[in-house]
Amino acid sequence: MIFEDFARYHGLIINSVVPFKWVSTPTEDHPRKRNGRYKYMGDVAWVQNWATMEKPVMWRTDRENTLSPNFIKARDHASTDRDRLAVKASAKAGWIMHQTQAKEHPYLVAKGFVDEKMPVWESDGKKLLVVAMRKDSCMVGCQLIDDEGGKKFLYGQVTKGASFIMDAKGTPIFCEGLATGLSIQAVMRANKMRYAIYVCFSASNMKEVSRAINGGIIVADNDPSSVGERIAKETGKPYWLSDTVGEDFNDYHVRVGIFKASQSLKKTLLSFPSKTLPQSA
């Protein structure tokens, strides 16, 4: 099977193949969005449809090697370029953070945090909420969120294994998005429990981050595709999941209020073995 047919089988819409880097594409189930991605390296490639797949799947050519010397040379250069881009993105993230000011932001207000102040970067007339991303204590990039909730990472940055940590003094709690993390923080404070919240930015990366840390719980999104719950189960950790399809913990928090949300999460927290029960603040 050629690569284009393999990508089409998994729902990706590709007009022309761009090699050597991750490329976002529309999908058959979301043709107006870029909900798919692929990375083509000539004789091997990876594709992922975010709506149906928690991780990329690999394609390998079933033909004899027909790569030209020029293609192979370009591929080797691309690998070096990726390393350079990662370094550049890390430096840019640090520069952006130095330009930020702690302010309120429309995205936070829309998610129920009217008085919350976080780093905001004003660029080209836009006010972007900046979420620092670190891996092994080093800043590798950041997520930028606009007024309407549009999100993007810096070009070339490392995302695998990176997270945004909120406090680091108690029970590890892993989630996907910033708003979910803020809701978790609110209910943990209401429960007077210590916490270390890891915002991981995607379900697959939540699995990557949580595997390196002992204990803790997963707060999963109840995706229609069930990706969030599948990932939570694969971690082997206790997990919380909304009773309503399409909700994450922030949606649940806004819908039921702080008391019910705090009691619901506390029930999952208390599913720990007794020796790893979270401590009160």
Side-chain angles (χ1 to χ4, degrees), residues 55-222:
K55 61 183 178 181
V57 293
M58 180 185 291
W59 166 88
R60 287 188 182 275
T61 182
D62 52 10
R63 302 176 181 179
E64 293 185 6
N65 189 3
T66 57
L67 301 181
S68 69
N70 286 339
F71 187 95
I72 294 173
K73 184 177 180 179
R75 184 173 63 184
D76 293 341
H77 280 302
S79 179
T80 302
D81 288 343
R82 282 196 301 275
D83 293 338
R84 291 173 180 168
L85 286 171
V87 172
K88 186 176 180 180
S90 176
K92 184 174 181 180
W95 179 84
I96 289 173
M97 288 302 299
H98 281 294
Q99 311 304 311
T100 64
Q101 292 183 329
K103 295 182 177 181
E104 298 168 357
H105 190 271
Y107 175 75
L108 297 174
V109 173
K111 292 296 182 177
F113 303 101
V114 177
D115 298 321
E116 188 76 28
K117 294 183 178 181
M118 294 192 70
V120 174
W121 178 42
E122 297 190 19
S123 174
D124 298 327
K126 296 181 179 180
K127 295 182 179 181
L128 300 172
L129 185 62
V130 183
V131 189
M133 299 174 66
R134 289 181 168 82
K135 182 176 182 180
D136 299 327
S137 301
C138 297
M139 186 178 293
V140 295
C142 58
Q143 184 182 60
L144 304 176
I145 306 177
D146 64 27
D147 290 1
E148 298 180 354
K151 301 171 184 177
K152 67 177 182 179
F153 301 121
L154 299 182
Y155 180 67
Q157 75 164 73
V158 171
T159 56
K160 185 176 182 180
S163 63
F164 171 65
I165 304 175
M166 303 168 68
D167 213 337
K169 299 177 181 178
T171 304
I173 305 176
F174 306 92
C175 65
E176 291 189 39
L178 174 66
T180 294
L182 289 171
S183 283
I184 295 169
Q185 183 182 58
V187 302
M188 291 298 286
R189 287 174 174 173
N191 283 326
K192 297 183 179 180
M193 289 180 168
R194 295 175 180 172
Y195 56 86
I197 301 167
Y198 294 80
V199 177
C200 303
F201 305 98
S202 71
S204 58
N205 196 48
M206 187 165 59
K207 182 178 179 180
E208 183 71 22
V209 173
S210 66
R211 72 171 43 161
I213 299 170
N214 293 327
I217 69 167
I218 304 294
V219 176
D221 293 358
N222 193 350

